[in-house]
Amino acid sequence: MIMTNSLSSTLKLSAIGLSLLVVSGCAAQGGEQQSWMDKTDSDVAEARSMANEALGTANSAQRDAQAALKMARENRQAMDRMFQKSMQK
């Protein structure tokens, strides 16, 4: 009976110790996850900033391309007029 009590006490202490290890491991992992999430939030903010900058650059490039297309069309019309004049002579 003494051996049974000793074994029972050892098992109880082992279970308590194991529970403490699991709880402390979960707490440590929770802290790591929070740290990772904090980094993720700053990465998201940085990515959003870069995306906004890229959007501004793309909009500027589109305006430049539209202006160049307009100039090309105007030049073509002028060349067509010059060709028509030369054909009439």
Side-chain angles (χ1 to χ4, degrees), residues 68-86:
L69 180 61
K70 181 181 176 188
M71 289 175 87
R73 287 180 178 159
E74 290 171 355
N75 286 339
R76 180 175 176 120
Q77 289 172 351
M79 294 296 286
D80 285 345
R81 285 192 301 271
M82 289 172 55
F83 179 73
Q84 291 297 327
K85 273 188 177 180
S86 71

Side-chain angles (χ1 to χ4, degrees), residues 46-62:
E46 183 179 349
R48 185 172 287 136
S49 173
M50 290 173 65
N52 286 334
E53 185 178 335
L55 179 61
T57 301
N59 287 336
S60 177
Q62 185 176 14

Side-chain angles (χ1 to χ4, degrees), residues 1 3 5 23 34 36 40 47-48 60 67 71-73 81:
M1 185 161 231
M3 182 148 291
N5 276 343
V23 169
Q34 184 62 41
W36 179 81
T40 301
R48 185 172 287 136
S60 177
M71 289 175 87
R73 287 180 178 159
R81 285 192 301 271

Side-chain angles (χ1 to χ4, degrees), residues 13-26:
L13 287 174
S14 296
I16 291 171
L18 182 60
S19 297
L20 288 174
L21 284 174
V22 169
V23 169
S24 65
C26 289

